[in-house]
């Protein structure tokens, strides 16, 4: 009997025209490292008395469909997750390379249908009405560069046959994997390289509001974005007073987190107004002194938004 193995797992996604309705075609095979996306339905213990010490059967509670997907930050597939986080991009370029600019502040976000498959069982789970709640990643000197996409879905449909990986007239599109690495990363502050950075974290959250209406199927009616949040952390070797002075004065700065491949593809995430807290400078021992800044971002009055994500690649459209 075949047993499920993560090495054979596969994932495909497509953006929906109608929330909660999986498209019949137009899926794209997605690279991913791990996924906790799934549906769960807890049981409620019976509170009734009068039938002895042994409890009565439990009652099913509401269905919750959500989870995280860990994906590589690459030149092509990552654009789908950026579209889910920010909405449709503005694309320029008559031919490759194309420049896709994603901006924060959109009132409506697209929903996706995502199918995960374990063909050896077989088990194919279609998650419809997936809306991206949070996108986060870390910058460091070495290691594999991945991002975590937190999703809220409307529901799960499980079957033995695939809807997205069919071999008929509409097989899923396959992308060229051009992965960025930590070695390709750089951080700038107000257009100037920021030195002495040990690590950095970036988290963008749409802070989705689940529409939990009463339905016969127990699913939600939607997930609406509320006030967005962009936060992070930078850990630096304490070499000068620039960041501390900014924190004390309360002035914002622009920060740019970028990755560039030798072949020309790039991903640049620009935060237009970063506010730094005043950190505690501790001397923990004979090693170098480090300072940690848990920063927050806000809407920049001049640019008119909080952040901009720019992806340059050979993809004509998302």
């Amino acid at each position: 009997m075949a047993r499920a193995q993560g090495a054979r797992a596969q994932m495909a996604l497509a953006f929906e025209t109608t929330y909660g309705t999986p498209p019949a075609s137009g899926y794209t095979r997605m690279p991913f490292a791990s996924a906790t996306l799934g549906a769960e339905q807890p049981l409620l213990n019976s509170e009734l008395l009068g039938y002895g010490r042994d409890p009565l059967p439990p009652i099913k509670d509401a269905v919750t469909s959500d989870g995280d997907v860990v994906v590589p930050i690459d030149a092509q597939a990552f654009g789908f997750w950026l579209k889910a986080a920010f909405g449709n991009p503005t694309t320029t370029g008559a031919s490759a390379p194309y420049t896709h600019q994603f901006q924060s502040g959109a009132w409506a976000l697209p929903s996706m249908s995502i199918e995960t498959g374990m063909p050896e069982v077989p088990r194919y789970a279609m998650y419809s009405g997936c809306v991206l709640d949070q996108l986060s990643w870390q910058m460091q000197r070495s290691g594999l560069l991945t991002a975590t996409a937190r999703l809220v879905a409307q529901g799960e449909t499980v079957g033995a046959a695939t809807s997205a990986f069919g071999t008929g007239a509409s097989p899923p599109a396959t992308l060229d994997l051009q992965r960025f690495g930590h070695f390709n990363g750089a951080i700038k502050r107000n257009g100037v390289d920021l030195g002495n950075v040990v690590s950095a974290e970036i988290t963008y959250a749409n802070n989705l509001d689940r529409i939990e209406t009463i339905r016969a199927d127990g699913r939600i009616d939607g997930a609406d974005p509320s006030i967005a949040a962009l936060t992070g952390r930078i850990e630096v070797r304490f070499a000068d007073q620039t960041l501390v002075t900014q924190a004390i004065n309360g002035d914002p700065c622009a920060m740019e987190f970028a990755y560039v491949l030798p072949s020309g593809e790039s991903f640049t995430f620009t935060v237009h107004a970063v506010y730094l807290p005043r950190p505690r400078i501790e001397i923990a021992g004979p090693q170098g002194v480090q300072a940690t800044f848990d920063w927050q971002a806000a809407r920049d009055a001049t640019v008119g938004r909080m952040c901009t994500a720019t992806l340059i690649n050979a993809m004509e459209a998302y």
Side-chain angles (χ1 to χ4, degrees), residues 93-110:
S95 60
Y98 299 94
T99 300
H100 312 277
Q101 188 178 88
F102 304 83
Q103 299 180 2
S104 62
W107 287 104
L109 298 176

Side-chain angles (χ1 to χ4, degrees), residues 196-219:
N196 299 301
V197 179
V198 177
S199 63
E201 298 177 10
I202 303 98
T203 300
Y204 178 82
N206 282 311
N207 292 320
L208 297 179
D209 179 23
R210 300 171 188 252
I211 311 302
E212 297 179 332
T213 57
I214 299 175
R215 294 172 50 129
D217 57 8
R219 297 184 175 187

Side-chain angles (χ1 to χ4, degrees), residues 10 24 45 60 70 79 96 114 125 130 145 149 166 171 192-193 195 203 208 217 227 279 281 285 312:
Q10 51 194 14
N45 294 329
K60 291 183 178 181
V70 178
I114 300 177
C130 294
L145 177 59
V192 179
D193 288 333
T203 300
L208 297 179
D217 57 8
I227 299 296
I281 307 298
I312 298 177

Side-chain angles (χ1 to χ4, degrees), residues 24-27 29 162-173:
S25 61
Y27 289 86
R29 185 185 297 269
T162 178
S163 300
F165 293 98
T167 57
S170 301

